[in-house]
Amino acid sequence: MNEKMRELYMEALALAYFSLAGTPSGKGRNAPLTSPVEFDSKTLESLCDQGLIRYTAGNKNVTICEDGVGLGEVFATGIGILVAGMPGFGQDAWSEEAPGGEILHFPVGGNKPASSNSAGKKGVVGTGVPLYMVPNTPASRPQFDPTQYRPLTEKRGFLFRVTLELEDGYECWREVLMPANCSFLDLHLAIQIAFDWDDAHLFDFKMNARGQKIHIDEASFLDPSLPPAVGPKEAIVEADDIFLSDVFPKSRTATYTYDYGDDWTHRIKLVKTYPTCPVEGPTLVAGVGQAPPEDVGGAWGFEDFLKVLADKKHPEHKDMSEWAKDMGWKKNFDLEETKELLEEDFYAGRDEWNYRLGLEQ
């Protein structure tokens, strides 16, 4: 294993541990979690730089930021799946119900106890230890019915401002006007084209809708045998099954994430509601700033990318300039060109998704 991979694994392991071992540092549901340190300073510094934890050298505890908790839960889920498949663990594991999910108990002495009531007690050989908490099953996970508030006829239109979060004050946003009866998959496609993404990675929307936290993605592609890598209090909805009018304008904001590696985070805000939509399909109205090229390494990678391109004396300037050219990246954003691109490519992209979803043969 090379050093870079080792560092990434250590960071994932640290976040998984912090999310499981963390305890609230104050009163209230939103109190930040703190956890014993337990990891080397290099791993802690890297997680601090990424804004996932807060830690001061010499302290006995770290504070886990909201994004760190979310990622930690995802990594813990993956570790739990792997452990559950190990001989002597997954085959002999049992579970008991607990608030927020199920606690899996794995054998210590190799024998399952006669009663799960004794599980985890000291001095009982073979009772097992609660190693990992699995998110709620689909039956117990909160449900969200997108059709419950859907009007019989829909003429409205929504104008959204979608802002890509980048470093060092770099401004990049698009305003997109869409009929209210478009789906969130349609919104995904519109964002992809407007920001010149390649639609080559996973995505999701997160928002609060009618008092419920919901997670929207292309859930039909998830392996149904695996627990979803989202919080147990989030309802899961497939992007093509939920319309914009199912949640807007009651809700005003949402977060869209594309490419879980580069982690492109877009903040969506409903700017205006039209009683009658003036367009038939997604239309780009305004925009500022050229979006990053794919696979540049996230917001921090894009910041470095711009610095290297701006410095002709930088040792990587030539290679980076050639890579940017190969990626088709342009320094300046062209509103009219992108507007035409959205009008031309949206329905072709929608047809491709219909084929992938099995809606068209």
Side-chain angles (χ1 to χ4, degrees):
M1 182 186 301
N2 61 43
E3 186 62 23
K4 182 60 177 177
M5 289 301 297
R6 180 186 176 279
E7 292 174 4
L8 291 174
Y9 286 153
M10 286 297 295
E11 290 175 15
L13 182 61
L15 286 175
Y17 170 79
F18 293 152
S19 70
L20 294 173
T23 56
S25 60
K27 296 182 179 180
R29 295 175 59 185
N30 297 321
L33 298 179
T34 61
S35 171
V37 176
E38 302 294 345
F39 284 87
D40 61 281
S41 58
K42 186 175 183 180
T43 298
L44 298 174
E45 289 174 5
S46 178
L47 294 176
C48 282
D49 291 341
Q50 297 175 61
L52 299 173
I53 65 170
R54 294 193 299 273
Y55 171 69
T56 303
N59 286 358
K60 294 182 179 180
N61 294 311
V62 302
T63 298
I64 312 123
C65 301
E66 183 177 354
D67 288 344
V69 173
L71 279 176
E73 291 176 351
V74 171
F75 294 139
T77 298
I79 293 170
I81 293 168
L82 291 175
V83 171
M86 294 171 59
F89 282 81
Q91 295 174 356
D92 299 323
W94 67 97
S95 65
E96 62 176 324
E97 293 184 1
E102 291 181 309
I103 297 180
L104 295 188
H105 295 268
F106 297 94
V108 174
N111 297 313
K112 181 177 177 179
S115 171
S116 62
N117 292 332
S118 61
K121 292 182 179 179
K122 293 183 178 179
V124 182
V125 177
T127 60
V129 292
L131 183 61
Y132 172 68
M133 180 170 283
V134 179
N136 284 325
T137 62
S140 60
R141 177 180 293 279
Q143 302 296 305
F144 182 85
D145 180 6
T147 66
Q148 183 176 358
Y149 305 98
R150 187 174 297 172
L152 295 176
T153 58
E154 182 58 81
K155 297 181 179 180
R156 293 174 297 175
F158 295 138
L159 177 65
F160 297 103
R161 173 170 286 201
V162 184
T163 303
L164 178 61
E165 292 191 344
L166 295 171
E167 298 295 308
D168 199 27
Y170 186 94
E171 194 174 10
C172 184
W173 55 264
R174 308 285 186 263
E175 286 191 352
V176 181
L177 176 60
M178 301 181 66
N181 59 1
C182 285
S183 72
F184 271 81
L185 182 57
D186 295 328
L187 178 56
H188 158 72
L189 279 169
I191 293 173
Q192 287 289 304
I193 299 171
F195 284 88
D196 200 24
W197 299 129
D198 292 339
D199 201 5
H201 302 281
L202 298 175
F203 72 90
D204 68 56
F205 295 89
K206 289 184 181 292
M207 63 188 304
N208 291 319
R210 305 183 187 276
Q212 173 65 59
K213 290 184 177 181
I214 59 174
H215 171 99
I216 305 169
D217 68 7
E218 67 276 35
S220 60
F221 295 115
L222 296 178
D223 184 340
S225 67
L226 301 179
V230 296
K233 296 181 180 179
E234 294 180 65
I236 300 175
V237 188
E238 294 189 30
D240 200 37
D241 291 341
I242 180 170
F243 295 174
L244 301 177
S245 60
D246 295 336
V247 292
F248 296 109
K250 184 74 174 180
S251 298
R252 307 292 298 183
T253 61
T255 300
Y256 170 77
T257 303
Y258 170 64
D259 184 355
Y260 298 156
D262 279 4
D263 193 31
W264 299 115
T265 301
H266 309 65
R267 302 297 179 186
I268 300 173
K269 181 179 180 180
L270 177 61
V271 176
K272 184 177 180 179
T273 299
Y274 292 83
T276 300
C277 187
V279 297
E280 295 183 359
T283 302
L284 184 63
V285 175
V288 168
Q290 184 68 313
E294 288 264 2
D295 304 321
V296 75
W300 295 285
F302 182 54
E303 184 179 24
D304 291 339
F305 168 81
L306 293 176
K307 289 179 180 178
V308 172
L309 286 187
D311 183 3
K312 294 184 178 181
K313 295 182 179 180
H314 195 285
E316 296 181 9
H317 175 81
K318 182 179 179 180
D319 290 342
M320 190 68 80
S321 298
E322 291 178 355
W323 180 80
K325 185 178 180 180
D326 291 341
M327 295 294 290
W329 188 80
K330 301 176 183 178
K331 182 177 180 180
N332 298 315
F333 170 65
D334 189 321
L335 174 62
E336 291 304 318
E337 180 181 310
T338 308
K339 181 178 180 179
E340 291 179 7
L341 195 64
L342 178 56
E343 292 176 353
E344 293 171 359
D345 290 359
F346 174 79
Y347 292 103
R350 181 68 238 209
D351 288 342
E352 181 180 341
W353 266 98
N354 287 344
Y355 178 80
R356 292 162 67 179
L357 291 167
L359 301 177
E360 292 182 0
Q361 301 299 325

